[in-house]
Amino acid sequence: IDLPPAAAFISQLSREAAPRLQCVFLNGCHTAALGHKLVEEMPWLCVICWCSITEDAAARAFATGFYDAVGDFIFNEEQIRIELAYWLGLKRMYDQGFRLGDPATYLHPPGHPHHSAPVFRGCDGCCPPVHGNVVLLASFEKRVCVLRPSLPSQADEPRRSTPPVRSTPPRLHARLAAHARRLSLGAGPAGHREGGQRDSAPPSPSAPLDGASD
């Protein structure tokens, strides 16, 4: 998507203009750089964004899970917990068969014959097994930190548009796990996606995060 300058966002999202705003959701490809700038300039906000290209259906699945969780908090007159809503967005993605990772690392190079005759079954270059990296950015001790699951498929990701991950406080894991138990969240195996294959179970709120330490 064609993103406006960060300054255009910042001028509209000041505390004076939006005093109740807690989170900005940038549901589009390669929005991490803009998200980082927003958190850097407005540390009271957190930002959910994508640090890769993303499949439209995966972005819709995450958004639906995220907004359903936010709606539940509002309906129950509870404090909106952005971290937990983020995890529930990921769970919805996994429940619908999508997986975290950068699809661009699988796509065919220019000139490949599959560009004119795609093969959607059995070809990772035409139908990547991963569907996008969505992260939650927040300010901690004057640094922009990244919250996302620690998945084997991300361990050697060749490109990264967000800063290094800071260790996440163990109390965050405990809080997310407690809320997951209260909401009776399951972490069973994800189902099949048409044309795809069964993968590992979705990341649960009690799973370790990138850079986390006990």
Side-chain angles (χ1 to χ4, degrees):
I1 60 177
D2 188 15
L3 296 173
F9 273 92
I10 293 170
S11 65
Q12 299 296 319
L13 302 179
S14 66
R15 276 181 165 165
E16 293 75 18
R20 298 175 57 190
L21 185 63
Q22 300 179 41
C23 177
V24 176
F25 184 13
L26 303 173
N27 199 24
C29 302
H30 292 301
T31 48
L34 174 59
H36 182 273
K37 185 65 175 178
L38 294 179
V39 175
E40 192 174 54
E41 295 292 330
M42 298 179 290
W44 60 89
L45 293 180
C46 59
V47 173
I48 295 173
C49 51
W50 296 81
C51 58
S52 68
I53 62 172
T54 179
E55 185 174 322
D56 289 346
R60 286 195 298 269
F62 175 85
T64 301
F66 173 77
Y67 284 124
D68 280 353
V70 170
D72 286 342
F73 283 125
I74 295 173
F75 179 80
N76 293 312
E77 298 182 344
E78 298 181 13
Q79 178 184 353
I80 297 174
R81 301 182 181 276
I82 301 300
E83 303 104 321
L84 182 57
Y86 167 79
W87 282 108
L88 293 175
L90 291 178
K91 182 178 184 298
R92 184 70 60 85
M93 272 185 64
Y94 268 67
D95 286 348
Q96 294 188 15
F98 300 106
R99 297 294 175 262
L100 289 175
D102 187 355
T105 62
Y106 292 87
L107 297 179
H108 294 305
H112 193 280
H114 283 189
H115 283 297
S116 57
V119 178
F120 293 111
R121 288 184 179 273
C123 178
D124 288 349
C126 295
C127 188
V130 295
H131 308 97
N133 276 329
V134 59
V135 297
L136 172 61
L137 307 181
S139 180
F140 182 72
E141 295 183 352
K142 299 183 179 181
R143 293 182 58 183
V144 179
C145 304
V146 184
L147 171 67
R148 69 175 180 180
S150 179
L151 298 177
S153 61
Q154 294 175 324
D156 52 359
E157 185 181 353
R159 289 182 291 179
R160 192 178 201 172
S161 55
T162 52
V165 178
R166 183 180 177 83
S167 296
T168 305
R171 64 181 179 274
L172 175 60
H173 304 305
R175 187 166 74 247
L176 290 171
H179 283 291
R181 287 192 297 270
R182 180 175 63 81
L183 295 175
S184 301
L185 293 180
H192 286 281
R193 181 175 175 231
E194 184 178 356
Q197 60 183 5
R198 185 179 295 273
D199 205 343
S200 57
S204 68
S206 58
L209 309 179
D210 278 357
S213 59
D214 295 330

